[in-house]
Amino acid sequence: MMREIGTLLLAEDNPKDAELTLMALEKHNLANKVLWVHDGEAVLDYMCRRGEFADRPNGNPAVILLDLKMAKVDGMEVLRAIRSDPSLRTTPVVILTSSREERDLVESYSLGVNAYVVKPVKFDEFFEAVGQLGVFWAITNEPPPDTAR
Amino acid sequence: MACVGVVVMAGWAADVPALTAVLPDAAPMKPITALGFVLAGVALGMLVLPRPNRFTRLTAAVCASVVITIGGMVVVEYVLDREFGICTALVRLLASGAASDLGQMAPTTAVCFVLLGVALLLLAFERRPHLAQSLALTAWLVAATAALGYLYVQETLYRVGLYTPMAVHTAVAFFVLASGILTARADVGWMAFLTGDRAGSDIARRILPIIIVFPVVVGWLRLLTERAGHIDTAFGVALTATASATSMSVFVLVIASRLNAADSVRLAAEQSSARLANIVEASDDAIISVARDHTIASWNPGGERIYGYAANEVIGRPFSMLVSPELREDAASVLDRTLAEDQVQHLRRTHMAKDGRLFTADVTLSPIRDASGAIIGLSDVVRDVTREVQSQEDLRRREEALDAFFTTSLDLLCIADTGGRFLRVNPEWERVLGYPVAELEGGVFLDYVHPDDIAATLEAIGRLSDQQNVAEFVNRYRAKDGSYRYIEWRSHPVGDFIYAAARDITERKAAESALNEANKELESFSYSVSHDLRAPLRHISGFVDLLEQSSAGCLDERSQHYLTTIAESAHDMGDLIDGLLTLSRMGRAALSMERLDLDGMVREYIENVDDDTKRRGIEWVVGELPAVRADRAMMRQVLSNLLGNAVKYTGPRKRPRIEVGTYPEEGGVAVFVRDNGVGFDMAYADKLFGVFQRLHDATEFEGTGIGLANVRRVISRHGGRTWAEGAVDQGATFFFSLPNRVADPGPEDHDEVGKS
């Protein structure tokens, strides 16, 4: 029996990046499992089931793909909020960013990020990287128990 | 005296025996005697007048001469046994001639007149006082003897032979007259001895009257009692002897005790003066006494030391010889003033030693008095203060020099106490803070310190109180305009004082914070670049790729070429951004120094080159490279840039050769990477290390033009330098140096981390 595929929550404020990311995931047949939100606030709304996500079904996403530079609430704040909430802290988070800055790396890992991926400039590399990420977190990885299927 | 004479003469004239003879049956005073007394009395009166002049003196002399003449003629009459009849003539002149036989003047009376007359004459001319007083004393003794004769009722004492006896009042008058002559000039002759103020004279004055009177009284009492028949002669003699012995013993004892007392006083005075003399002898100061006429009266060894004159060279000579020539008149007037005004004077003068050397002297002048309190001279205590004056002058100069430094310093200088007060500040304070110096001095410095800095300032004061130096302490002071200035301190405590040099570093602080600000801005700029600049590139590259896939086979060759070019450009731009970010990071990141094995790092690079490069068959010549202390990541960047360039520019060579070597350089070590590649024109050598400077166009060799800029930045951050040599088609050599402190890796066991 084929394993159930987990939900991917993509937080990306740049629609072009989002389109390319979705394209890459689509190539691996993960497009229908992806929920794209535009900013950090929406991520927290989703996770905490409030606002427009008040009525969403139970269960956490298999992974949150989080951009760092976002309007309103940035990625680092989202990560901090999730890691400090006992009911959310187990959710895997992957930083997907353009920044190679060491301080971002250090801070992300010290907050307990599960992976840190720098978006490659070359599209084929980017395609490859995002696709593998999706496959790994949504399919290969055994998620924590409260993850939605 | 003259009165006695006048009364007696009047008696003769009036024939009143009571006046001429005093006692009944006694010898009367002769008229001529009375005349003698009148004249002698006048002469004596003239001599004792408070203000004698020529007239009085002449009168006295004339009277005295007449007295001598009268006495002398009587004496001659007695000697020649003839009568000149002076007496008779005089009597006739006075009286009616009733009494025919008045008798002659007694011979002793005549002798006495001669003696006293001569004495008066001498006194009148102020000649031979001793002789005058001797004569008067002789007359006094004669008179006293006569008087005693009357007292003891013994005629032989007042009558010589059968001649006329001396009348009792004549004897008394002579006694008085002689006494008068003796006391008239008691300050000269023999009498000076009695009137002197010394111990002997004093005792003589007290004892003499008793010695004279006592035996006379005792003798008189004895005679009286003997004649009355109360006692016999033997008893009288015994009584007299006993009384004399007793009284003499008493007098001797009295004299002795008085002498002892006087001697004790004298001894004490001697001791005290010996002490004083010792002090004077031992003094380092010159102690000089000066007489009223300004001559030097005494001189001590101190004077000899200071002036160089021995005592015998100066005593009796004028004091002014000790004073600098141009000050001599002034010195004389100062001496006079001291003598006249009776004041102690303290002066600082220029004095002159025997050898002509002038020196500064502190002089104390004070009057010297005799026993009666009269100023008889002055004492002059002189101290040579040349050295003190010199050292004071030196000190003053030093202080002036320090003061000049203090006031001209560009730094803020101050002296404070550990109690927290400014004792002294230099004018720079006024310039920096705006308060007048006078306001700051004496002020509490904590009053000016920024409230947030007070705790730290108190802590620093505490350390200073413990006698520790304080350096690089910074606090803020409120200036008069209300702004705060950053002051950096270096303070040194000495007891309760704090000596501090401070500096207004407000500008530096501002520059530092501006620099921090700029660095932060730059950092956030690079951060934005790394995030935001890359995103569009990714999009270009991504969508071009998607377009290529979706249009596969539909596009003509030209359109396909356009797409490829767009993709490559996007990629190149990505490399540029990465290069710039690296360059920025190299400039900002803190150096983390460790021991690095350059040799190993080069070999590591060679092993890791890609397969294409490996296939080119490059000849690597790697010498023994030094171990250095440096930042690993940055040095890896340097080596990879230099070696990468060498690989790249030897591309066209059939036998590429790359050499890495080292040689010691002054102050450190140099490393070079030499290739036999395309080289470059030395004219552009300086441009090589600039950002975006390329000597080859992109179609020949790929590259961003940032690599060598990165190398230069890293090496210069390590304190070294970079340079290059080369020629077109002759290859190129790139050098970098590292200074010793970086090149010397230190003991290995401290740097285990460095070994990779």
Side-chain angles (χ1 to χ4, degrees):
Chain A
M1 184 187 131
M2 195 170 163
R3 288 193 54 180
E4 221 174 323
I5 301 171
T7 315
L8 291 100
L9 181 62
L10 172 64
E12 174 63 69
D13 68 339
N14 188 318
K16 291 171 190 158
D17 262 334
E19 190 181 344
L20 289 172
T21 307
L22 289 171
M23 204 80 79
L25 293 172
E26 191 181 337
K27 206 144 198 172
H28 290 87
N29 299 315
L30 292 168
N32 55 346
K33 298 299 280 181
V34 179
L35 179 72
W36 169 34
V37 294
H38 295 261
D39 56 46
E41 197 177 7
V43 174
L44 294 177
D45 282 351
Y46 180 89
M47 294 304 290
C48 302
R49 299 161 65 96
R50 60 189 186 207
E52 59 173 309
F53 300 107
D55 304 324
R56 76 162 173 92
N58 281 338
N60 290 334
V63 69
I64 303 171
L65 299 177
L66 194 61
D67 188 17
L68 282 180
K69 260 197 107 206
M70 289 188 295
K72 293 196 252 188
V73 183
D74 72 15
M76 209 61 84
E77 283 170 73
V78 172
L79 177 60
R80 192 176 292 115
I82 288 171
R83 285 294 178 255
S84 56
D85 185 332
S87 65
L88 307 178
R89 62 187 308 165
T90 54
T91 310
V93 177
V94 172
I95 300 286
L96 191 58
T97 177
S98 313
S99 169
R100 236 182 252 282
E101 287 293 312
E102 189 172 294
R103 60 170 192 199
D104 286 339
L105 262 169
V106 170
E107 197 176 351
S108 302
Y109 277 112
S110 66
L111 284 172
V113 81
N114 297 79
Y116 189 103
V117 176
V118 179
K119 296 172 187 168
V121 174
K122 273 189 167 172
F123 183 67
D124 48 353
E125 290 168 19
F126 177 80
F127 234 65
E128 193 57 29
V130 173
Q132 283 176 7
L133 263 181
V135 169
F136 177 80
W137 288 105
I139 301 165
T140 319
N141 187 45
E142 192 64 45
D146 56 354
T147 304
R149 296 286 170 181
Chain B
M1 188 51 53
C3 294
V4 173
V6 169
V7 167
V8 171
M9 280 200 284
W12 283 112
D15 199 10
V16 182
L19 293 178
T20 54
V22 185
L23 298 171
D25 304 331
M29 183 193 281
K30 300 297 176 290
I32 189 78
T33 310
L35 179 65
F37 280 128
V38 171
L39 293 169
V42 170
L44 184 60
M46 290 297 151
L47 291 178
V48 296
L49 277 177
R51 258 180 289 170
N53 53 32
R54 274 189 69 201
F55 171 73
T56 59
R57 216 170 278 174
L58 200 65
T59 312
V62 170
C63 290
S65 304
V66 174
V67 170
I68 294 166
T69 312
I70 291 170
M73 282 176 67
V74 174
V75 170
V76 169
E77 277 179 356
Y78 276 109
V79 172
L80 300 178
D81 204 11
R82 281 191 54 191
E83 197 166 327
F84 295 130
I86 305 165
C87 198
T88 324
L90 187 67
V91 170
R92 290 220 179 95
L93 198 75
L94 286 169
S96 52
S100 53
D101 183 21
L102 297 170
Q104 181 56 292
M105 177 196 278
T108 44
T109 307
V111 169
C112 281
F113 273 130
V114 173
L115 293 174
L116 292 176
V118 173
L120 283 167
L121 200 60
L122 288 172
L123 283 181
F125 291 110
E126 295 190 334
R127 285 288 200 30
R128 314 281 301 270
H130 285 91
L131 178 60
Q133 285 168 1
S134 301
L135 296 173
L137 198 63
T138 312
W140 187 86
L141 284 172
V142 172
T145 309
L148 216 56
Y150 283 103
L151 184 66
Y152 289 176
V153 197
Q154 188 68 37
E155 200 181 2
T156 46
L157 290 177
Y158 53 85
R159 182 172 199 162
V160 179
L162 290 172
Y163 297 121
T164 317
M166 186 187 280
V168 61
H169 47 313
T170 306
V172 171
F174 271 134
F175 188 79
V176 173
L177 181 64
S179 299
I181 291 170
L182 285 172
T183 52
R185 294 300 306 276
D187 56 334
V188 294
W190 302 117
M191 291 303 288
F193 174 78
L194 277 181
T195 56
D197 54 2
R198 300 167 80 171
S201 303
D202 181 46
I203 286 168
R205 272 199 302 277
R206 287 159 195 273
I207 299 297
L208 214 51
I210 302 168
I211 293 281
I212 292 169
V213 173
F214 186 81
V216 171
V217 172
V218 169
W220 178 68
L221 285 173
R222 179 188 156 193
L223 279 176
L224 211 62
T225 46
E226 265 185 36
R227 280 175 192 161
H230 298 306
I231 54 170
D232 61 5
T233 311
F235 187 78
V237 171
L239 204 67
T240 316
T242 311
S244 299
T246 310
S247 58
M248 289 307 151
S249 302
V250 170
F251 294 149
V252 166
L253 288 175
V254 169
I255 292 166
S257 83
R258 289 193 74 84
L259 282 177
N260 277 350
D263 203 44
S264 303
V265 171
R266 185 185 54 77
L267 209 63
E270 265 177 16
Q271 279 172 355
S272 135
S273 94
R275 264 200 302 276
L276 285 175
N278 273 334
I279 292 169
V280 169
E281 287 295 299
S283 171
D284 277 341
D285 295 345
I287 300 177
I288 305 161
S289 65
V290 179
R292 287 200 71 99
D293 63 356
H294 298 186
T295 56
I296 294 166
S298 75
W299 186 256
N300 73 336
E304 190 169 339
R305 271 195 295 278
I306 291 178
Y307 292 96
Y309 291 110
N312 59 8
E313 290 176 293
V314 287
I315 286 178
R317 299 188 56 196
F319 176 78
S320 60
M321 69 186 283
L322 304 176
V323 179
S324 163
E326 69 271 17
L327 289 172
R328 280 177 187 165
E329 272 180 36
D330 188 40
S333 73
V334 169
L335 293 187
D336 280 336
R337 206 163 58 236
T338 310
L339 288 167
E341 290 175 8
D342 184 17
Q343 276 180 346
V344 177
Q345 308 224 31
H346 299 279
L347 311 155
R348 176 159 285 185
R349 292 269 156 168
T350 306
H351 275 207
M352 191 169 72
K354 186 181 180 182
D355 57 11
R357 176 179 58 88
L358 295 174
F359 62 91
T360 307
D362 272 355
V363 181
T364 304
L365 289 169
S366 41
I368 302 176
R369 300 164 176 285
D370 66 3
S372 70
I375 297 175
I376 55 166
L378 45 87
S379 80
D380 192 341
V381 180
V382 180
R383 171 169 297 180
D384 180 355
V385 293
T386 310
R387 226 177 261 173
E388 283 99 314
V389 169
Q390 185 60 45
S391 62
Q392 276 169 7
E393 176 67 11
D394 289 350
L395 200 65
R396 194 182 59 74
R397 287 227 182 93
R398 268 217 303 282
E399 275 180 4
E400 263 179 16
L402 284 176
D403 222 51
F405 279 125
F406 193 76
T407 28
T408 47
S409 168
L410 277 174
D411 283 339
L412 304 162
L413 301 181
C414 73
I415 305 170
D417 60 23
T418 47
R421 279 179 189 282
F422 280 127
L423 302 178
R424 226 189 131 187
V425 301
N426 70 344
E428 198 62 11
W429 283 93
E430 184 169 340
R431 198 188 63 73
V432 169
L433 293 184
Y435 305 103
V437 166
E439 188 180 330
L440 289 168
E441 282 178 346
V444 176
F445 52 75
L446 279 179
D447 288 352
Y448 300 96
V449 173
H450 192 285
D452 296 347
D453 293 344
I454 282 182
T457 306
L458 284 172
E459 193 266 335
I461 294 171
R463 272 188 287 151
L464 288 165
S465 298
D466 295 342
Q467 304 298 304
Q468 297 173 24
N469 285 342
V470 168
E472 288 175 10
F473 174 71
V474 177
N475 59 9
R476 281 164 290 177
Y477 267 66
R478 193 183 61 253
K480 195 161 192 173
D481 61 11
S483 67
Y484 279 93
R485 312 292 298 179
Y486 281 91
I487 311 283
E488 186 182 56
W489 294 86
R490 181 175 299 173
S491 310
H492 174 68
V494 177
D496 287 341
F497 295 107
I498 302 169
Y499 295 84
R503 203 164 273 185
D504 177 12
I505 57 161
T506 313
E507 254 96 87
R508 197 178 85 198
K509 279 272 175 189
E512 276 173 10
S513 92
L515 188 66
N516 278 337
E517 201 64 30
N519 270 337
K520 264 195 198 122
E521 235 165 68
L522 189 65
E523 213 170 312
S524 72
F525 170 73
S526 344
Y527 188 77
S528 308
V529 166
S530 83
H531 275 82
D532 302 345
L533 233 52
R534 244 202 289 259
L537 287 175
R538 199 167 48 245
H539 303 150
I540 295 166
S541 157
F543 287 102
V544 165
D545 212 73
L546 287 173
L547 182 59
E548 274 182 329
Q549 288 174 25
S550 63
S551 64
C554 308
L555 288 179
D556 59 12
E557 199 170 326
R558 175 170 293 197
S559 301
Q560 188 58 49
H561 170 69
Y562 293 157
L563 280 180
T564 311
T565 307
I566 293 170
E568 277 175 9
S569 296
H571 182 248
D572 289 350
M573 178 122 191
D575 284 353
L576 273 177
I577 289 170
D578 282 346
L580 281 176
L581 282 175
T582 308
L583 185 65
S584 150
R585 230 190 341 262
M586 293 295 138
R588 283 182 290 124
L591 293 178
S592 132
M593 306 293 267
E594 56 180 295
R595 188 193 152 89
L596 298 179
D597 179 10
L598 286 184
D599 205 80
M601 288 173 80
V602 169
R603 291 180 195 289
E604 195 181 348
Y605 178 88
I606 296 168
E607 281 163 23
N608 289 327
V609 292
D610 57 43
D611 293 346
D612 286 351
T613 309
K614 276 180 179 154
R615 275 196 290 277
R616 281 175 52 202
I618 295 171
E619 182 192 352
W620 293 94
V621 181
V622 181
E624 230 170 81
L625 299 179
V628 296
R629 279 186 70 80
D631 183 283
R632 177 177 294 277
M634 291 192 187
M635 285 311 290
R636 182 174 284 135
Q637 185 79 37
V638 166
L639 290 176
S640 108
N641 272 313
L642 293 179
L643 296 171
N645 278 351
V647 167
K648 185 160 65 181
Y649 293 110
T650 51
R653 294 287 178 260
K654 286 210 170 81
R655 289 181 170 175
R657 184 177 188 274
I658 299 173
E659 184 188 354
V660 185
T662 178
Y663 61 92
E665 215 215 14
E666 196 186 323
V669 66
V671 176
F672 63 87
V673 176
R674 178 172 294 145
D675 65 60
N676 61 345
V678 298
F680 60 90
D681 185 346
M682 278 299 278
Y684 306 112
D686 283 348
K687 288 192 163 185
L688 281 172
F689 294 95
V691 180
F692 296 134
Q693 296 285 349
R694 302 204 62 204
L695 298 187
H696 305 278
D697 61 48
T699 54
E700 276 184 288
F701 298 99
E702 291 182 342
T704 56
I706 296 174
L708 285 176
N710 249 331
V711 168
R712 172 159 283 185
R713 182 166 285 186
V714 168
I715 294 301
S716 84
R717 284 200 67 195
H718 282 79
R721 55 194 190 89
T722 38
W723 68 103
E725 289 169 2
V728 177
D729 277 336
Q730 303 292 306
T733 308
F734 287 84
F735 300 85
F736 66 87
S737 71
L738 291 172
N740 262 333
R741 62 187 164 84
V742 179
D744 175 18
E748 273 193 48
D749 49 333
H750 285 274
D751 287 276
E752 289 299 321
V753 225
K755 291 184 192 166
S756 55

